[in-house]
Amino acid sequence: MSTLTRQTLTHLDWLEAEAIHIMREVAGQCANPVLLFSGGKDSICMLRLAEKAFRPGRFPFPLMHIDTGHNYREVTDFRDKRAAELGERLIVRSVEDSMARGTVVLKTPDESRNKHQSVTLLEAIEEFGFDACIGGARRDEEKARAKERIMSFRDEFGQWDPKNQRPELWNLYNARAHKGENIRAFPISNWTELDVWQYIEREQLELPSIYFAHVRPVVRKNGLLQPVTDVTPAKPGDVVEDVQVRFRTVGDITCTAPVESAADTVAKILLETATTTITERGATRMDDQTSEASMEQRKKEGYF
């Protein structure tokens, strides 16, 4: 790396090198880190970066997914398959576990479990004693995430204070934390959605099928497409349509909407992504429609 000049490296090369550097910094500075892996496109890129950072050895951390219990089956099946292919340990903790313990109580049976992932994540961090969680969040996704440092400090209660973050000069990162505190590290923080898809194309990464165009029953609500599933059935008066869609992001079924699209290859998705004027979360996240500050509030409570 030291013998290469900026002129010999592509944009993706520089992003990849920075992300690998950050992963190695976390592994070197933290005693017990974990890599968050959901089976989504960003975390799939994170796995490839971890391979490049640490292979042929094993990853110096396990993989972990905080599952709401209402995630798309295509994605969780892919999650399990990919972890098995890599031969890496996968820890799955579910919001349903927290519900059984009584630490998560839903206001109504059909309330979205997405925001309650914070509780389950903090419980898992305490259970395993993790001092750093490596995640695939990006600054271009949402306003609150744009405020966050690459090494995001969380206090002993798991809370994020945007006014109490460490300076990050050049590529010097401080991942050290006292007992009980936690670091959330975001190696692809500076990547865009387009960067992610270009990396997927370059590395020929396999993805869950729902990222590509397919026909799915949906209901149009508040400018978004709500998928019709066992978890989100159509209500009286809803008009159900079979629409060709794909998912730009994946998560809890109750709050992740697809977008209309005929893009059934990575090349076609790249073209759509390059020309869209709506942010990824703005086009797909029903839970972020409630308030402009909803993500920031959840992050202050311990969210990713």
Side-chain angles (χ1 to χ4, degrees), residues 65-71 76 79 92-96 117:
H65 182 214
I66 304 301
D67 191 343
T68 66
H70 285 166
N71 288 79
T76 55
R79 173 201 69 192
V92 178
R93 290 294 180 268
S94 175
V95 173
E96 292 178 341
Q117 287 177 294

Side-chain angles (χ1 to χ4, degrees), residues 282-293:
T284 64
R285 301 296 294 210
M286 289 177 270
D287 53 339
D288 287 343
Q289 306 296 316
T290 56
S291 164
E292 286 197 2

Side-chain angles (χ1 to χ4, degrees), residues 28-216:
Q29 294 186 44
C30 300
N32 190 22
V34 64
L35 175 62
L36 302 177
F37 176 62
S38 66
K41 68 181 187 308
D42 297 330
S43 60
I44 289 169
C45 290
M46 295 283 288
L47 283 192
R48 175 52 55 89
L49 292 165
E51 287 185 88
K52 293 193 175 188
F54 303 111
R55 287 293 193 240
R58 295 288 300 274
F59 294 172
F61 37 67
L63 313 178
M64 182 168 73
H65 182 214
I66 304 301
D67 191 343
T68 66
H70 285 166
N71 288 79
Y72 288 96
R73 183 64 180 270
E74 298 97 322
V75 182
T76 55
D77 285 350
F78 181 91
R79 173 201 69 192
D80 296 344
K81 171 175 145 317
R82 191 72 190 101
E85 288 171 350
L86 288 169
E88 298 292 344
R89 179 188 178 199
L90 172 65
I91 299 166
V92 178
R93 290 294 180 268
S94 175
V95 173
E96 292 178 341
D97 300 331
S98 300
M99 291 167 61
R101 287 190 290 269
T103 52
V104 166
V105 179
L106 302 183
K107 294 178 182 178
T108 61
D110 61 350
E111 180 189 2
S112 174
R113 301 174 181 180
N114 195 56
K115 68 178 182 179
H116 298 294
Q117 287 177 294
S118 305
V119 174
T120 310
L121 174 63
L122 295 177
E123 290 174 342
I125 288 172
E126 183 176 5
E127 177 185 354
F128 293 98
F130 294 130
D131 57 354
C133 296
I134 309 170
R138 308 187 323 269
R139 287 182 177 136
D140 78 324
E141 289 182 278
E142 201 273 340
K143 294 177 182 178
R145 284 181 166 163
K147 296 180 182 179
E148 197 154 35
R149 302 293 168 84
I150 287 174
M151 297 292 184
S152 178
F153 171 76
R154 306 297 173 101
D155 65 20
E156 63 271 25
F157 302 105
Q159 296 177 324
W160 173 65
D161 180 357
K163 297 179 180 179
N164 183 28
Q165 296 296 308
R166 299 164 178 175
E168 291 181 344
L169 305 175
W170 301 288
N171 62 344
L172 302 176
Y173 302 108
N174 183 356
R176 300 184 187 280
H178 294 295
K179 185 175 177 59
E181 298 172 344
N182 190 264
I183 292 292
R184 308 287 173 82
F186 302 112
I188 63 171
S189 185
N190 290 328
W191 294 35
T192 66
E193 184 183 7
L194 184 60
D195 293 328
V196 168
W197 281 107
Q198 288 176 330
Y199 194 71
I200 288 168
E201 180 185 53
R202 190 184 82 172
E203 299 295 313
Q204 298 184 349
L205 300 180
E206 184 183 358
L207 295 169
S209 60
I210 64 174
Y211 276 111
F212 301 98
H214 58 284
V215 175
R216 181 179 291 265

